[in-house]
Amino acid sequence: MTERHDYEYAVIRAVPRVERGECVNLGVLLYCRWREELAVRTLLPQAKLLALDPAVDLDAVARALRGIEGICAGGPAAGPAAGDSAGQRFRWLTAPRSAVVQPGPVHTGLTADPAAELERLFARLVA
């Protein structure tokens, strides 16, 4: 039997008009404590975002996604978070915020392959 380990994940979503509460899923963050691994997969569905708000700043959303990707990657791309552990970066990225790009609730699961799990979640929740 394959050994499975716990992981946590959150959907990254865009809420173009916070007052309306409508959202579009943009990606998935996945943190596996066992591997001390933080990964993200994102997509920018421009047509869906524009359908919710024709005035949405697509460039700002794209910059926010690139920032999340940089923090997940760690190292110099993480900016001030470069020295933080993967778990600390995950906690920072999943902290509630009122912004156009924001995390959803954190969920948990078990997996033997965090990378494959990220792809499965992305296909199911975003793509």
Side-chain angles (χ1 to χ4, degrees), residues 5-6 31-38 86 111-116:
H5 299 276
D6 62 307
Y31 169 60
C32 182
R33 184 175 49 130
W34 170 67
R35 289 197 177 166
E36 189 58 21
E37 183 178 310
L38 177 61
T111 187
D113 185 348

Side-chain angles (χ1 to χ4, degrees), residues 7-94:
Y7 69 91
E8 298 174 79
Y9 75 94
V11 173
I12 301 165
R13 58 189 178 194
V15 185
R17 294 181 56 191
V18 176
E19 71 278 8
R20 290 181 60 154
E22 300 168 326
C23 66
V24 174
N25 292 346
L26 304 177
V28 177
L29 287 164
L30 187 138
Y31 169 60
C32 182
R33 184 175 49 130
W34 170 67
R35 289 197 177 166
E36 189 58 21
E37 183 178 310
L38 177 61
V40 66
R41 175 96 190 268
T42 64
L43 174 73
L44 182 59
Q46 295 182 8
K48 287 182 182 180
L49 288 168
L50 291 169
L52 291 182
D53 182 3
V56 67
D57 186 343
L58 293 172
D59 290 335
V61 173
R63 281 192 306 275
L65 290 178
R66 285 193 305 273
I68 291 167
E69 291 164 354
I71 291 168
C72 283
D84 292 345
S85 70
Q88 289 170 312
R89 294 191 319 270
F90 179 76
R91 297 284 169 250
W92 186 84
L93 289 169
T94 57

